[in-house]
Amino acid sequence: MMITRRAFSGLVATAALGAASPAIGTARSRTPFPKGFQWGVATSGHQTEGDNTASDIWWMEHAEPTLFAEPSGSATASFDLWPADLDLVKSLGFNTYRFSLEWARIEPEEGLFSQGMIAHYRRIIEGCHTRGLAPVVTFNHFSCPRWFAALGGWTNPAAPDLFARYCERATQDLGAGISHAVTLNEPNLPTILSWIGLPPALYEGHAAMLKAAGAALGSHNFSGGFMLSRDEHLPMIPIMGAAHRKAREAIKNLRPDLPVGLSLAVSDDQATGVTTIRDRKRAEAYEPWFAFAADDDFIGVQNYDRTRFDAKGALPPPAGAVLNQMGAEVHAPSLGGAVRYVHRASGKPVLVTEHGVGIADDAVRVPFILDALESLRVAMADGAEVLGYIHWSLFDNFEWYSGYTPRFGLVEVDRQTFKRTPKPSAFALGAIARNNGH
Ligand code: BGC
């Protein structure tokens, strides 16, 4: 849901905060989470490492025209600063760190694998272990190599083999240290966006950007990013599904005991009466992925909001709701609803691989997290199997089309010096992680 607003905010740069909602800051229980529960923070390569110059997104950021509000540049400079970042994650109290490998760094040209970059990621994985952090590793977090996009990206029937070859190569050297492997990040996001109904001008702008990015590479079918119309995205679904399955097979061949899954964008879709439209959305946006994930070990749930449906369609946020920087409702219990649904519908254990709020005022974040965790605990008490909770994000970072305006971080990053300053929410969630409960 928020992506819509995210797209808008990149273009019209609005930030709206409403009055405090009674849903935030309600009474909460103190029952601990199960022993071994994973408490983490998440980042992704393109959003934090910086200078990801061989990637499709970098190419799109610099195309003319571009839909990106600003380029990623050096992001949070984590390509160099990762040891200090891991120290911070550990010192705050977490036991898990989710990050992504950048395919564009590992395979900057088709079939050419960089030993240096693989060694870089091996050092990060080892750095996690040295500090007692479980590395949850995403193999593809939206950004792909530029050459892959120039071949048609996820529209290319050869994409599953290309992706599986990279996953196999990465697993050979890195697999031994990974705690959980996430193949694809939110491959269902364009479907979610199509349910929100982005203005046609945005899709047109995106298509023009892809065309310009491709022209510079001599490609007529350059494809990347996630603001894709229904027509553009529908043919990709079976290709991405096959890519996930082949990648899982490649990973499992090398490390059969490594838990593998994919992560999905999941709104807490609530029917306020007739369920027909809500259920149609679920059938389109999630159910095909539950089928692709049928042999997986877990499903990564990434929740940021709820969507309420009546018999006619999606409803606007209720009057007086707190709004995030994308203009969507901040509704903490959406986490429990999303997890409950995914576990029931898929039968799989859930790892919350992302959950958070894009908001400038960190004072909203702390009660938001507490209430969301309470909803998670209640869903677990009702039978949802949940392996852990990973917050998005460690840092205020590069929020894709919207640039650096939205603030999802527990930690602020100075855009000039890259100095990290933990916000009160970082200490609050870190203390919960340390105590295994709130
Ligand atoms: C993505 C992240 C993004 C976050 C907040 C998720 O869709 O996986 O990359 O930053 O939402 O918008």
Side-chain angles (χ1 to χ4, degrees):
M1 173 72 124
M2 63 187 357
I3 304 286
T4 316
R5 323 297 181 142
R6 178 186 310 167
F8 282 125
S9 72
L11 296 176
V12 293
T14 52
L17 284 179
S21 155
I24 292 178
T26 49
R28 45 193 73 100
S29 137
R30 298 202 167 261
T31 314
F33 280 75
K35 202 164 172 279
F37 196 75
Q38 291 194 253
W39 292 99
V41 281
T43 60
S44 89
H46 191 82
Q47 294 176 274
T48 58
E49 287 180 342
D51 306 307
N52 191 19
T53 55
S55 70
D56 55 354
I57 301 282
W58 180 278
W59 204 245
M60 288 154 61
E61 291 165 18
H62 295 275
E64 278 181 35
T66 181
L67 213 61
F68 284 79
E70 57 187 316
S72 52
S74 294
T76 61
S78 293
F79 186 82
D80 292 320
L81 299 181
W82 66 264
D85 294 346
L86 294 189
D87 287 344
L88 179 59
V89 173
K90 180 63 187 170
S91 73
L92 286 169
F94 298 100
N95 61 26
T96 297
Y97 180 56
R98 176 181 176 224
F99 68 99
S100 74
L101 309 177
E102 271 305 319
W103 183 5
R105 292 190 196 272
I106 291 182
E107 192 180 358
E109 299 295 340
E110 186 185 350
L112 187 99
F113 291 90
S114 162
Q115 290 298 341
M117 287 303 151
I118 290 175
H120 167 77
Y121 289 115
R122 193 187 306 120
R123 285 192 290 274
I124 299 181
I125 290 170
E126 285 167 4
C128 286
H129 288 289
T130 312
R131 295 164 178 82
L133 297 169
V136 173
V137 175
T138 312
F139 282 64
N140 176 256
H141 196 119
F142 295 146
S143 43
C144 294
R146 197 172 62 191
W147 62 261
F148 177 80
L151 292 175
W154 298 111
T155 68
N156 179 359
D161 287 327
L162 294 170
F163 182 57
R165 179 178 61 175
Y166 145 70
C167 291
E168 181 181 26
R169 188 67 192 77
T171 307
Q172 275 166 11
D173 284 307
L174 307 173
I178 296 175
S179 130
H180 290 73
V182 177
T183 56
L184 298 172
N185 181 73
E186 297 189 353
N188 66 331
L189 183 53
T191 313
I192 301 269
L193 296 183
S194 74
W195 268 86
I196 296 163
L198 297 182
L202 274 186
Y203 287 129
E204 285 158 18
H206 200 268
M209 172 178 64
L210 295 186
K211 199 166 170 222
L217 293 168
S219 163
H220 297 296
N221 56 346
F222 184 101
S223 178
F226 48 77
M227 214 180 293
L228 302 164
S229 70
R230 227 180 172 74
D231 285 354
E232 290 168 305
H233 180 57
L234 278 181
M236 294 183 184
I237 295 175
I239 295 177
M240 294 186 94
H244 166 67
R245 296 179 77 103
K246 286 201 169 195
R248 182 190 53 229
E249 204 181 301
I251 295 168
K252 288 281 192 185
N253 279 343
L254 291 163
R255 248 206 76 184
D257 62 323
L258 173 57
V260 179
L262 52 74
S263 72
L264 296 177
V266 187
S267 180
D268 178 14
D269 297 306
Q270 303 176 353
T272 60
V274 185
T275 61
T276 324
I277 297 190
R278 190 273 312 268
D279 292 347
R280 202 189 305 149
K281 176 186 175 186
R282 285 180 164 176
E284 272 189 29
Y286 316 113
E287 288 171 17
W289 296 99
F290 297 153
F292 294 130
D295 299 326
D296 288 9
D297 301 291
F298 66 92
I299 295 195
V301 167
Q302 314 203 152
N303 170 259
Y304 290 90
D305 53 28
R306 72 165 167 176
T307 314
R308 298 175 312 134
F309 291 90
D310 67 8
K312 295 195 192 111
L315 298 168
V322 177
L323 304 179
N324 63 30
Q325 284 177 300
M326 289 80 180
E329 180 191 5
V330 176
H331 182 73
S334 69
L335 179 62
V339 163
R340 211 181 268 268
Y341 161 67
V342 170
H343 181 259
R344 204 185 48 232
S346 71
K348 297 284 173 191
V350 163
L351 178 60
V352 177
T353 38
E354 283 183 31
H355 170 259
V357 56
I359 205 146
D361 181 4
D362 192 58
V364 173
R365 203 176 326 270
V366 177
F368 171 79
I369 290 173
L370 290 170
D371 286 347
L373 288 177
E374 180 57 17
S375 76
L376 185 63
R377 205 193 55 76
V378 173
M380 291 167 72
D382 289 348
E385 190 185 346
V386 182
L387 308 174
Y389 171 88
I390 303 177
H391 191 81
W392 185 271
S393 177
L394 174 59
F395 295 128
D396 289 336
N397 61 32
F398 181 68
E399 183 52 34
W400 306 111
Y401 302 97
S402 301
Y404 289 97
T405 303
R407 303 296 165 109
F408 282 89
L410 299 173
V411 176
E412 189 183 332
V413 180
D414 185 290
R415 300 260 3 103
Q416 261 68 51
T417 63
F418 302 110
K419 183 173 181 296
R420 280 83 164 119
T421 308
K423 304 175 190 177
S425 57
F427 298 111
L429 183 56
I432 293 169
R434 208 176 267 124
N435 298 331
N436 197 28
H438 52 290

